[in-house]
Amino acid sequence: MVKSDIISATKANRLFWLGRYEERVYMTIHVLNKCYDKMIDCHPDEYMSLWRRLDTSGTYTTNDEFTYGMMYDDANPCSVISALNYAMNNAILLREDIMSETLSYIEMSIALVKRCKAEHALNTSALQPVIDWSLAFWGSAEQRLQNHKALSIMLTGRNIENIDMQLRFGYPYRRIALAYDSFKRCSREISDEIDDHVREQLDALITPENYRADDDECKSTLIKYVNGLVRV
């Protein structure tokens, strides 16, 4: 029996947010690793910078509280475990599309984070396997997701999240431009879901002349547009 290539609005939304949450897991651990290294290298207040850019809901007073909360606090929507849980909620409903092998990488990641939480592991390197499994997740998804439009939606979500996170942390123009080009390539199959007006605004702003990594107003405008690019 041949499966239909038609994707409902509900499924498209799940695919998009699965892509975003899985990328959020990867990027959050990545920036946490860099932050943790600075904190142990005599910059104890480094966490405040990440907290302001990524998480305005947590209330942390020490490095350990911050690290623990961003890794394990499932009541904090910005934590690693929360992003994994959100990804899992979408992945379970998409199991027939992404296949159990792809889903298993999220399952292993959640199991590891829960074990590290039980052991109260504060060194962010304890979550390094989650980064590896995130990359394996994408390799498995690209191999097993036969509906090319569905894969495009998921990859679009991944790229939107990647651009959003890079903007928040002031990545240089070259990195932002490369991420934006990647978004354009992977979203070609879902051009009807892209807001052309927003895309035109981003085309004008993501240029060597107009992009300013150290300008908060510029970054806020770009983040607003990036998060309004896709209508799913």
Side-chain angles (χ1 to χ4, degrees):
M1 183 177 184
V2 178
K3 292 183 179 179
S4 172
D5 287 338
I6 297 174
I7 301 174
S8 69
T10 299
K11 179 175 285 191
N13 183 268
R14 289 172 183 155
L15 288 161
F16 177 78
W17 281 102
L18 173 56
R20 287 203 65 156
Y21 285 127
E22 187 61 29
E23 182 67 8
R24 189 173 302 177
V25 170
Y26 178 90
M27 288 295 292
T28 301
I29 296 175
H30 176 68
V31 296
L32 272 174
N33 277 332
K34 294 199 295 185
C35 177
Y36 188 81
D37 288 343
K38 290 180 180 179
M39 287 193 296
I40 63 177
D41 287 337
C42 302
H43 296 281
D45 295 330
E46 181 65 26
Y47 79 90
M48 288 298 296
S49 174
L50 191 149
W51 176 77
R52 286 193 298 267
R53 294 173 178 178
L54 187 61
D55 169 28
T56 57
S57 62
T59 53
Y60 310 113
T61 58
T62 68
N63 292 345
D64 285 352
E65 284 184 9
F66 167 78
T67 304
Y68 185 88
M70 289 304 300
M71 291 166 70
Y72 307 128
D73 185 3
D74 53 14
N76 179 351
C78 298
S79 68
V80 172
I81 188 60
S82 288
L84 279 169
N85 286 334
Y86 295 143
M88 188 65 169
N89 290 341
N90 285 289
I92 287 174
L93 295 171
L94 295 165
R95 183 192 292 268
E96 292 187 3
D97 299 277
I98 65 173
M99 309 296 286
S100 296
E101 292 86 351
T102 307
L103 178 66
S104 68
Y105 292 109
I106 302 177
E107 293 175 324
M108 289 191 295
S109 296
I110 291 175
L112 175 65
V113 173
K114 287 182 176 178
R115 190 182 76 219
C116 290
K117 179 179 181 179
E119 296 171 353
H120 209 79
L122 290 178
N123 191 325
T124 56
S125 63
L127 299 189
Q128 180 60 40
V130 177
I131 287 184
D132 299 333
W133 291 332
S134 179
L135 296 174
F137 167 91
W138 286 109
S140 179
E142 291 192 37
Q143 181 181 32
R144 292 179 169 85
L145 194 51
Q146 298 301 308
N147 186 319
H148 294 297
K149 183 175 181 179
L151 178 60
S152 181
I153 293 170
M154 230 168 75
L155 290 170
T156 296
R158 179 190 192 184
N159 279 276
I160 290 291
E161 188 66 27
N162 182 261
I163 299 170
D164 176 282
M165 291 284 278
Q166 289 196 30
L167 287 169
R168 291 179 191 278
F169 287 91
Y171 277 56
Y173 166 75
R174 182 181 63 84
R175 295 288 298 275
I176 299 296
L178 285 172
Y180 187 45
D181 284 344
S182 180
F183 158 79
K184 287 181 174 179
R185 288 195 303 273
C186 75
S187 63
R188 285 171 184 163
E189 288 198 42
I190 58 166
S191 57
D192 290 346
E193 309 302 328
I194 306 302
D195 189 310
D196 289 334
H197 171 71
V198 173
R199 180 179 51 76
E200 290 169 3
Q201 296 299 314
L202 286 170
D203 286 346
L205 290 170
I206 302 178
T207 64
E209 298 78 20
N210 293 327
Y211 177 71
R212 298 181 298 279
D214 57 350
D215 186 321
D216 289 340
E217 184 176 352
C218 175
K219 287 195 293 186
S220 294
T221 299
L222 284 167
I223 289 169
K224 180 186 71 173
Y225 282 137
V226 165
N227 285 286
L229 253 176
V230 185
R231 299 184 293 252
V232 296

